[in-house]
Amino acid sequence: MNEILTIDIGNTKAKYAVFHDKNIVEMNVFNPISDDLKQLLQRYPNINKGIISSVGGKVEECLRQVGGLRVLILDSSTKLPFTLTYKEKTKIGADRLALVAAAYAEKPHQNILVIDVGTCITYDILSEDDRHLGGPISPGMQLRFKAMHEHTALLPLCEPTRDELKIVCDGTVECLQSGVQLGVLHEIKEFIRLYSLKFNNLNVFISGGDNIFLQNKLDFCTFASSNFMFNGLRLILEYNENQ
């Protein structure tokens, strides 16, 4: 039985997924400084390898929990099915590499734009000749709401909404939600337009926890499921095992 453990430690949450072959059998959040992973391995004794992507630290804490499990730590030196052209290779986020790998698996040897709408919004281009070209980073929705609350005297802290957004608002919360969410929406639309002018037949993937607030608002995009990142990690681990 082929079972593997994939771990994604983000800026705000740590998550894991257990794969049996290519299917996820369990996925959840966990606390890296608890014994959550140790208990998980007791439930899945057939797990014999894993991979960790981290932008939020806590890698050593995870390794202590998993004991002697063979674990690949994803970074810029990891073998990938595409070429990194990023100038500062050691500084690129492991999460971006995993997302690009997941998109590559679905559209190999094609022009791809991966937009991750999380704590930050990242844009990653993978060209049809399999070169990762990087892309901009901007504040995510939650960061924009938090910044306006913390750097003003009176503006409240808001959350994104799935209600209709208006450009004529009659309440403070509505004004903040429309400003942030419509701002993010039009930012993303413009980036897609600019990239589409440069890269023919562009495939656009939208991932990240806040992509639910963009659904039905962007045309010709693939909205990634919650297991998108984990599939990328699984693919990278398998790619390294086969080298």
Side-chain angles (χ1 to χ4, degrees), residues 70-125:
R70 186 159 46 97
V71 178
L72 175 67
I73 310 300
L74 176 58
D75 59 26
S76 61
S77 66
T78 304
K79 294 177 182 177
L80 300 165
F82 48 85
T83 301
L84 288 180
T85 64
Y86 203 71
K87 184 177 179 180
E88 297 180 308
K89 290 183 175 64
T90 60
K91 295 183 179 180
I92 191 166
D95 54 342
R96 300 177 74 170
L97 301 178
L99 291 171
V100 171
Y104 171 83
E106 295 198 23
K107 299 288 183 179
H109 316 305
Q110 298 183 41
N111 288 320
I112 294 170
L113 171 62
V114 181
I115 304 172
D116 186 49
V117 190
T119 303
C120 291
I121 303 171
T122 58
Y123 300 83
D124 283 275
I125 279 284

Short mmCIF file of all heavy atoms in Angstrom, two decimals, residues 70-125:
data_model
loop_
_atom_site.label_atom_id
_atom_site.label_comp_id
_atom_site.label_asym_id
_atom_site.label_seq_id
_atom_site.Cartn_x
_atom_site.Cartn_y
_atom_site.Cartn_z
N ARG A 70 10.98 9.20 6.21
CA ARG A 70 11.77 9.81 5.15
C ARG A 70 11.00 11.00 4.60
O ARG A 70 9.93 10.84 4.01
CB ARG A 70 12.04 8.77 4.06
CG ARG A 70 12.97 9.21 2.95
CD ARG A 70 13.55 7.96 2.26
NE ARG A 70 12.52 6.97 2.00
CZ ARG A 70 11.90 6.83 0.82
NH1 ARG A 70 12.20 7.63 -0.18
NH2 ARG A 70 11.00 5.89 0.65
N VAL A 71 11.54 12.22 4.78
CA VAL A 71 10.82 13.44 4.44
C VAL A 71 11.66 14.33 3.53
O VAL A 71 12.84 14.59 3.80
CB VAL A 71 10.43 14.23 5.71
CG1 VAL A 71 9.73 15.54 5.33
CG2 VAL A 71 9.52 13.40 6.61
N LEU A 72 11.04 14.80 2.45
CA LEU A 72 11.67 15.76 1.55
C LEU A 72 11.22 17.16 1.94
O LEU A 72 10.01 17.43 2.05
CB LEU A 72 11.26 15.46 0.11
CG LEU A 72 11.74 16.45 -0.97
CD1 LEU A 72 13.26 16.39 -1.11
CD2 LEU A 72 11.06 16.15 -2.31
N ILE A 73 12.17 18.06 2.16
CA ILE A 73 11.85 19.46 2.47
C ILE A 73 11.91 20.23 1.15
O ILE A 73 12.97 20.35 0.54
CB ILE A 73 12.84 20.07 3.49
CG1 ILE A 73 12.98 19.15 4.71
CG2 ILE A 73 12.37 21.46 3.89
CD1 ILE A 73 11.70 18.90 5.45
N LEU A 74 10.78 20.77 0.74
CA LEU A 74 10.72 21.45 -0.55
C LEU A 74 11.36 22.83 -0.47
O LEU A 74 10.99 23.66 0.36
CB LEU A 74 9.25 21.59 -0.99
CG LEU A 74 9.00 22.38 -2.28
CD1 LEU A 74 9.72 21.78 -3.46
CD2 LEU A 74 7.49 22.47 -2.54
N ASP A 75 12.34 23.07 -1.35
CA ASP A 75 12.92 24.40 -1.49
C ASP A 75 13.47 24.54 -2.91
O ASP A 75 13.23 23.67 -3.77
CB ASP A 75 14.01 24.66 -0.43
CG ASP A 75 15.16 23.66 -0.50
OD1 ASP A 75 15.41 23.10 -1.59
OD2 ASP A 75 15.82 23.44 0.52
N SER A 76 14.19 25.61 -3.18
CA SER A 76 14.65 25.89 -4.54
C SER A 76 15.66 24.87 -5.06
O SER A 76 15.90 24.80 -6.26
CB SER A 76 15.27 27.29 -4.61
OG SER A 76 16.39 27.38 -3.74
N SER A 77 16.27 24.09 -4.16
CA SER A 77 17.24 23.08 -4.59
C SER A 77 16.59 21.74 -4.91
O SER A 77 17.25 20.83 -5.43
CB SER A 77 18.30 22.87 -3.50
OG SER A 77 17.72 22.32 -2.34
N THR A 78 15.29 21.61 -4.63
CA THR A 78 14.57 20.38 -4.90
C THR A 78 14.41 20.19 -6.42
O THR A 78 14.17 21.16 -7.14
CB THR A 78 13.18 20.42 -4.25
OG1 THR A 78 13.32 20.65 -2.84
CG2 THR A 78 12.44 19.11 -4.45
N LYS A 79 14.54 18.97 -6.90
CA LYS A 79 14.34 18.69 -8.31
C LYS A 79 12.88 18.91 -8.67
O LYS A 79 11.97 18.44 -7.98
CB LYS A 79 14.76 17.26 -8.63
CG LYS A 79 16.25 17.01 -8.47
CD LYS A 79 16.59 15.56 -8.73
CE LYS A 79 18.08 15.32 -8.52
NZ LYS A 79 18.43 13.89 -8.69
N LEU A 80 12.66 19.65 -9.77
CA LEU A 80 11.31 20.01 -10.19
C LEU A 80 11.12 19.66 -11.66
O LEU A 80 12.10 19.62 -12.42
CB LEU A 80 11.08 21.52 -9.99
CG LEU A 80 11.23 22.05 -8.57
CD1 LEU A 80 11.34 23.58 -8.58
CD2 LEU A 80 10.03 21.62 -7.72
N PRO A 81 9.88 19.44 -12.10
CA PRO A 81 9.64 19.13 -13.51
C PRO A 81 9.66 20.35 -14.41
O PRO A 81 9.22 20.28 -15.54
CB PRO A 81 8.26 18.47 -13.48
CG PRO A 81 7.58 19.08 -12.31
CD PRO A 81 8.67 19.30 -11.28
N PHE A 82 10.16 21.45 -13.90
CA PHE A 82 10.31 22.68 -14.67
C PHE A 82 11.57 23.40 -14.20
O PHE A 82 12.15 23.05 -13.16
CB PHE A 82 9.08 23.58 -14.54
CG PHE A 82 8.62 23.80 -13.12
CD1 PHE A 82 9.17 24.79 -12.33
CD2 PHE A 82 7.61 23.00 -12.59
CE1 PHE A 82 8.75 24.99 -11.03
CE2 PHE A 82 7.18 23.19 -11.28
CZ PHE A 82 7.74 24.18 -10.51
N THR A 83 12.01 24.40 -14.96
CA THR A 83 13.26 25.10 -14.67
C THR A 83 12.97 26.43 -13.99
O THR A 83 12.13 27.21 -14.45
CB THR A 83 14.03 25.38 -15.98
OG1 THR A 83 14.30 24.13 -16.62
CG2 THR A 83 15.35 26.09 -15.69
N LEU A 84 13.68 26.69 -12.90
CA LEU A 84 13.54 27.98 -12.21
C LEU A 84 14.43 29.02 -12.88
O LEU A 84 15.64 28.81 -13.01
CB LEU A 84 13.95 27.84 -10.74
CG LEU A 84 13.02 27.08 -9.80
CD1 LEU A 84 13.61 27.07 -8.40
CD2 LEU A 84 11.64 27.68 -9.78
N THR A 85 13.85 30.14 -13.27
CA THR A 85 14.64 31.23 -13.81
C THR A 85 14.67 32.41 -12.83
O THR A 85 15.26 33.44 -13.12
CB THR A 85 14.08 31.71 -15.16
OG1 THR A 85 12.77 32.26 -14.97
CG2 THR A 85 14.00 30.57 -16.14
N TYR A 86 14.02 32.24 -11.69
CA TYR A 86 13.94 33.27 -10.66
C TYR A 86 15.34 33.66 -10.21
O TYR A 86 16.17 32.80 -9.91
CB TYR A 86 13.14 32.70 -9.49
CG TYR A 86 12.48 33.71 -8.58
CD1 TYR A 86 11.37 34.44 -9.00
CD2 TYR A 86 12.94 33.89 -7.28
CE1 TYR A 86 10.75 35.33 -8.15
CE2 TYR A 86 12.32 34.78 -6.43
CZ TYR A 86 11.22 35.51 -6.87
OH TYR A 86 10.60 36.39 -6.02
N LYS A 87 15.65 34.96 -10.20
CA LYS A 87 17.00 35.42 -9.88
C LYS A 87 17.40 35.04 -8.47
O LYS A 87 18.51 34.55 -8.23
CB LYS A 87 17.08 36.94 -10.08
CG LYS A 87 18.48 37.49 -9.87
CD LYS A 87 18.52 38.99 -10.14
CE LYS A 87 19.91 39.57 -9.93
NZ LYS A 87 19.94 41.03 -10.18
N GLU A 88 16.51 35.28 -7.50
CA GLU A 88 16.79 34.95 -6.11
C GLU A 88 16.14 33.61 -5.78
O GLU A 88 15.16 33.54 -5.03
CB GLU A 88 16.30 36.05 -5.18
CG GLU A 88 17.00 37.38 -5.39
CD GLU A 88 16.49 38.47 -4.46
OE1 GLU A 88 15.25 38.67 -4.41
OE2 GLU A 88 17.30 39.10 -3.78
N LYS A 89 16.69 32.54 -6.31
CA LYS A 89 16.07 31.22 -6.21
C LYS A 89 15.84 30.79 -4.76
O LYS A 89 14.83 30.16 -4.45
CB LYS A 89 16.92 30.18 -6.93
CG LYS A 89 16.92 30.30 -8.44
CD LYS A 89 17.73 29.18 -9.08
CE LYS A 89 17.63 29.21 -10.60
NZ LYS A 89 18.22 30.43 -11.17
N THR A 90 16.78 31.10 -3.89
CA THR A 90 16.68 30.63 -2.51
C THR A 90 15.58 31.35 -1.73
O THR A 90 15.22 30.93 -0.63
CB THR A 90 18.01 30.82 -1.77
OG1 THR A 90 18.37 32.21 -1.77
CG2 THR A 90 19.11 30.01 -2.43
N LYS A 91 15.03 32.42 -2.29
CA LYS A 91 14.02 33.19 -1.58
C LYS A 91 12.59 32.92 -2.07
O LYS A 91 11.64 33.47 -1.51
CB LYS A 91 14.33 34.68 -1.69
CG LYS A 91 15.62 35.08 -1.00
CD LYS A 91 15.86 36.58 -1.05
CE LYS A 91 17.14 36.96 -0.33
NZ LYS A 91 17.39 38.43 -0.37
N ILE A 92 12.45 32.10 -3.10
CA ILE A 92 11.12 31.85 -3.61
C ILE A 92 10.36 30.92 -2.67
O ILE A 92 10.93 29.98 -2.12
CB ILE A 92 11.16 31.27 -5.04
CG1 ILE A 92 9.77 31.27 -5.65
CG2 ILE A 92 11.75 29.87 -5.06
CD1 ILE A 92 9.75 31.05 -7.13
N GLY A 93 9.09 31.20 -2.45
CA GLY A 93 8.29 30.42 -1.52
C GLY A 93 8.05 29.00 -2.01
O GLY A 93 7.72 28.78 -3.18
N ALA A 94 8.20 28.03 -1.12
CA ALA A 94 7.96 26.64 -1.48
C ALA A 94 6.52 26.42 -1.91
O ALA A 94 6.23 25.58 -2.76
CB ALA A 94 8.30 25.73 -0.29
N ASP A 95 5.60 27.19 -1.33
CA ASP A 95 4.19 27.04 -1.70
C ASP A 95 3.96 27.39 -3.17
O ASP A 95 3.17 26.75 -3.87
CB ASP A 95 3.30 27.90 -0.80
CG ASP A 95 3.71 29.37 -0.76
OD1 ASP A 95 4.86 29.70 -1.12
OD2 ASP A 95 2.88 30.19 -0.33
N ARG A 96 4.69 28.38 -3.66
CA ARG A 96 4.56 28.77 -5.07
C ARG A 96 5.05 27.64 -5.98
O ARG A 96 4.44 27.36 -7.03
CB ARG A 96 5.33 30.06 -5.35
CG ARG A 96 4.84 31.25 -4.53
CD ARG A 96 5.66 32.51 -4.76
NE ARG A 96 5.35 33.13 -6.06
CZ ARG A 96 5.79 34.34 -6.42
NH1 ARG A 96 6.54 35.05 -5.58
NH2 ARG A 96 5.48 34.84 -7.60
N LEU A 97 6.11 26.98 -5.59
CA LEU A 97 6.63 25.88 -6.39
C LEU A 97 5.63 24.72 -6.44
O LEU A 97 5.43 24.10 -7.50
CB LEU A 97 7.96 25.39 -5.82
CG LEU A 97 9.09 26.42 -5.74
CD1 LEU A 97 10.33 25.80 -5.10
CD2 LEU A 97 9.41 26.99 -7.12
N ALA A 98 5.01 24.43 -5.31
CA ALA A 98 4.04 23.34 -5.26
C ALA A 98 2.81 23.65 -6.12
O ALA A 98 2.28 22.77 -6.82
CB ALA A 98 3.62 23.06 -3.82
N LEU A 99 2.34 24.89 -6.09
CA LEU A 99 1.18 25.27 -6.88
C LEU A 99 1.48 25.20 -8.38
O LEU A 99 0.65 24.74 -9.17
CB LEU A 99 0.72 26.68 -6.50
CG LEU A 99 0.11 26.82 -5.10
CD1 LEU A 99 -0.09 28.29 -4.75
CD2 LEU A 99 -1.22 26.07 -5.01
N VAL A 100 2.67 25.65 -8.75
CA VAL A 100 3.06 25.58 -10.17
C VAL A 100 3.15 24.12 -10.61
O VAL A 100 2.73 23.76 -11.72
CB VAL A 100 4.39 26.32 -10.41
CG1 VAL A 100 4.91 26.05 -11.81
CG2 VAL A 100 4.20 27.81 -10.19
N ALA A 101 3.68 23.26 -9.74
CA ALA A 101 3.77 21.84 -10.08
C ALA A 101 2.38 21.23 -10.28
O ALA A 101 2.18 20.42 -11.19
CB ALA A 101 4.52 21.08 -8.98
N ALA A 102 1.43 21.62 -9.44
CA ALA A 102 0.07 21.10 -9.57
C ALA A 102 -0.55 21.54 -10.90
O ALA A 102 -1.22 20.75 -11.58
CB ALA A 102 -0.78 21.58 -8.41
N ALA A 103 -0.33 22.80 -11.27
CA ALA A 103 -0.87 23.31 -12.54
C ALA A 103 -0.18 22.65 -13.72
O ALA A 103 -0.82 22.31 -14.73
CB ALA A 103 -0.70 24.83 -12.60
N TYR A 104 1.13 22.44 -13.61
CA TYR A 104 1.90 21.79 -14.67
C TYR A 104 1.37 20.38 -14.94
O TYR A 104 1.31 19.93 -16.10
CB TYR A 104 3.37 21.73 -14.28
CG TYR A 104 4.23 20.90 -15.19
CD1 TYR A 104 4.73 21.43 -16.38
CD2 TYR A 104 4.55 19.58 -14.87
CE1 TYR A 104 5.52 20.66 -17.23
CE2 TYR A 104 5.33 18.81 -15.71
CZ TYR A 104 5.82 19.35 -16.88
OH TYR A 104 6.58 18.59 -17.72
N ALA A 105 0.99 19.68 -13.88
CA ALA A 105 0.48 18.32 -14.03
C ALA A 105 -0.81 18.30 -14.85
O ALA A 105 -1.07 17.34 -15.58
CB ALA A 105 0.23 17.69 -12.66
N GLU A 106 -1.61 19.36 -14.74
CA GLU A 106 -2.88 19.42 -15.47
C GLU A 106 -2.70 19.95 -16.88
O GLU A 106 -3.44 19.57 -17.80
CB GLU A 106 -3.88 20.28 -14.70
CG GLU A 106 -4.27 19.69 -13.35
CD GLU A 106 -5.55 20.28 -12.80
OE1 GLU A 106 -6.37 20.80 -13.60
OE2 GLU A 106 -5.74 20.23 -11.57
N LYS A 107 -1.73 20.85 -17.09
CA LYS A 107 -1.51 21.45 -18.41
C LYS A 107 -0.02 21.45 -18.74
O LYS A 107 0.61 22.50 -18.83
CB LYS A 107 -2.05 22.89 -18.43
CG LYS A 107 -3.54 23.03 -18.17
CD LYS A 107 -4.36 22.53 -19.36
CE LYS A 107 -5.85 22.74 -19.10
NZ LYS A 107 -6.67 22.27 -20.26
N PRO A 108 0.57 20.27 -18.93
CA PRO A 108 2.02 20.21 -19.18
C PRO A 108 2.40 20.86 -20.51
O PRO A 108 1.65 20.78 -21.49
CB PRO A 108 2.31 18.70 -19.21
CG PRO A 108 1.00 18.07 -19.56
CD PRO A 108 -0.05 18.94 -18.94
N HIS A 109 3.55 21.53 -20.49
CA HIS A 109 4.13 22.15 -21.68
C HIS A 109 3.18 23.19 -22.31
O HIS A 109 3.11 23.33 -23.53
CB HIS A 109 4.52 21.09 -22.71
CG HIS A 109 5.21 19.90 -22.13
ND1 HIS A 109 6.35 20.02 -21.35
CD2 HIS A 109 4.91 18.57 -22.17
CE1 HIS A 109 6.74 18.81 -20.96
NE2 HIS A 109 5.87 17.93 -21.44
N GLN A 110 2.48 23.91 -21.46
CA GLN A 110 1.60 24.98 -21.91
C GLN A 110 1.87 26.23 -21.08
O GLN A 110 2.46 26.15 -20.00
CB GLN A 110 0.14 24.58 -21.79
CG GLN A 110 -0.26 23.38 -22.64
CD GLN A 110 -1.73 23.06 -22.55
OE1 GLN A 110 -2.58 23.96 -22.56
NE2 GLN A 110 -2.06 21.78 -22.46
N ASN A 111 1.43 27.39 -21.59
CA ASN A 111 1.56 28.63 -20.82
C ASN A 111 0.53 28.62 -19.69
O ASN A 111 -0.67 28.43 -19.92
CB ASN A 111 1.34 29.83 -21.73
CG ASN A 111 2.49 30.05 -22.69
OD1 ASN A 111 3.64 29.89 -22.33
ND2 ASN A 111 2.18 30.43 -23.93
N ILE A 112 1.04 28.84 -18.48
CA ILE A 112 0.19 28.75 -17.28
C ILE A 112 0.41 29.97 -16.39
O ILE A 112 1.55 30.41 -16.19
CB ILE A 112 0.54 27.48 -16.48
CG1 ILE A 112 0.18 26.21 -17.27
CG2 ILE A 112 -0.16 27.48 -15.12
CD1 ILE A 112 0.72 24.94 -16.64
N LEU A 113 -0.67 30.50 -15.86
CA LEU A 113 -0.62 31.52 -14.81
C LEU A 113 -1.33 30.96 -13.59
O LEU A 113 -2.50 30.57 -13.66
CB LEU A 113 -1.31 32.80 -15.27
CG LEU A 113 -1.53 33.89 -14.19
CD1 LEU A 113 -0.20 34.38 -13.62
CD2 LEU A 113 -2.34 35.05 -14.75
N VAL A 114 -0.62 30.89 -12.47
CA VAL A 114 -1.20 30.45 -11.20
C VAL A 114 -1.33 31.66 -10.29
O VAL A 114 -0.33 32.33 -9.99
CB VAL A 114 -0.34 29.37 -10.51
CG1 VAL A 114 -1.00 28.92 -9.22
CG2 VAL A 114 -0.13 28.18 -11.44
N ILE A 115 -2.55 31.94 -9.87
CA ILE A 115 -2.81 33.06 -8.96
C ILE A 115 -3.28 32.48 -7.63
O ILE A 115 -4.30 31.79 -7.58
CB ILE A 115 -3.88 34.01 -9.53
CG1 ILE A 115 -3.46 34.50 -10.92
CG2 ILE A 115 -4.11 35.19 -8.59
CD1 ILE A 115 -4.55 35.29 -11.64
N ASP A 116 -2.51 32.72 -6.59
CA ASP A 116 -2.85 32.20 -5.26
C ASP A 116 -3.37 33.35 -4.41
O ASP A 116 -2.64 34.31 -4.12
CB ASP A 116 -1.63 31.56 -4.61
CG ASP A 116 -1.96 30.88 -3.30
OD1 ASP A 116 -2.93 30.11 -3.27
OD2 ASP A 116 -1.27 31.13 -2.30
N VAL A 117 -4.62 33.26 -3.99
CA VAL A 117 -5.28 34.33 -3.25
C VAL A 117 -5.35 33.92 -1.78
O VAL A 117 -6.33 33.33 -1.32
CB VAL A 117 -6.69 34.63 -3.81
CG1 VAL A 117 -7.26 35.90 -3.19
CG2 VAL A 117 -6.64 34.76 -5.33
N GLY A 118 -4.28 34.21 -1.07
CA GLY A 118 -4.20 33.86 0.34
C GLY A 118 -3.82 35.07 1.17
O GLY A 118 -4.31 36.17 0.94
N THR A 119 -2.93 34.87 2.15
CA THR A 119 -2.46 36.00 2.96
C THR A 119 -1.89 37.08 2.04
O THR A 119 -2.17 38.27 2.22
CB THR A 119 -1.38 35.53 3.94
OG1 THR A 119 -1.91 34.48 4.76
CG2 THR A 119 -0.92 36.68 4.82
N CYS A 120 -1.09 36.65 1.08
CA CYS A 120 -0.69 37.51 -0.03
C CYS A 120 -1.27 36.94 -1.32
O CYS A 120 -1.67 35.78 -1.37
CB CYS A 120 0.83 37.59 -0.13
SG CYS A 120 1.62 38.49 1.23
N ILE A 121 -1.30 37.76 -2.35
CA ILE A 121 -1.71 37.29 -3.67
C ILE A 121 -0.44 37.16 -4.51
O ILE A 121 0.29 38.13 -4.69
CB ILE A 121 -2.69 38.26 -4.34
CG1 ILE A 121 -3.92 38.47 -3.46
CG2 ILE A 121 -3.11 37.75 -5.72
CD1 ILE A 121 -4.84 39.58 -3.94
N THR A 122 -0.19 35.95 -4.98
CA THR A 122 1.01 35.72 -5.79
C THR A 122 0.62 35.34 -7.21
O THR A 122 -0.40 34.68 -7.43
CB THR A 122 1.88 34.60 -5.19
OG1 THR A 122 1.11 33.40 -5.08
CG2 THR A 122 2.41 35.00 -3.82
N TYR A 123 1.44 35.76 -8.14
CA TYR A 123 1.24 35.48 -9.56
C TYR A 123 2.47 34.73 -10.07
O TYR A 123 3.59 35.23 -9.95
CB TYR A 123 1.06 36.78 -10.35
CG TYR A 123 -0.12 37.62 -9.89
CD1 TYR A 123 0.00 38.49 -8.81
CD2 TYR A 123 -1.34 37.55 -10.54
CE1 TYR A 123 -1.07 39.26 -8.38
CE2 TYR A 123 -2.43 38.33 -10.13
CZ TYR A 123 -2.28 39.17 -9.04
OH TYR A 123 -3.35 39.94 -8.63
N ASP A 124 2.25 33.55 -10.61
CA ASP A 124 3.36 32.74 -11.10
C ASP A 124 3.11 32.30 -12.53
O ASP A 124 2.07 31.71 -12.82
CB ASP A 124 3.56 31.50 -10.22
CG ASP A 124 4.24 31.83 -8.92
OD1 ASP A 124 5.48 31.89 -8.89
OD2 ASP A 124 3.53 32.07 -7.92
N ILE A 125 4.05 32.59 -13.39
CA ILE A 125 3.98 32.21 -14.79
C ILE A 125 4.90 31.01 -15.05
O ILE A 125 6.06 31.00 -14.64
CB ILE A 125 4.39 33.37 -15.72
CG1 ILE A 125 3.22 34.33 -15.91
CG2 ILE A 125 4.87 32.87 -17.06
CD1 ILE A 125 2.15 33.82 -16.87
#
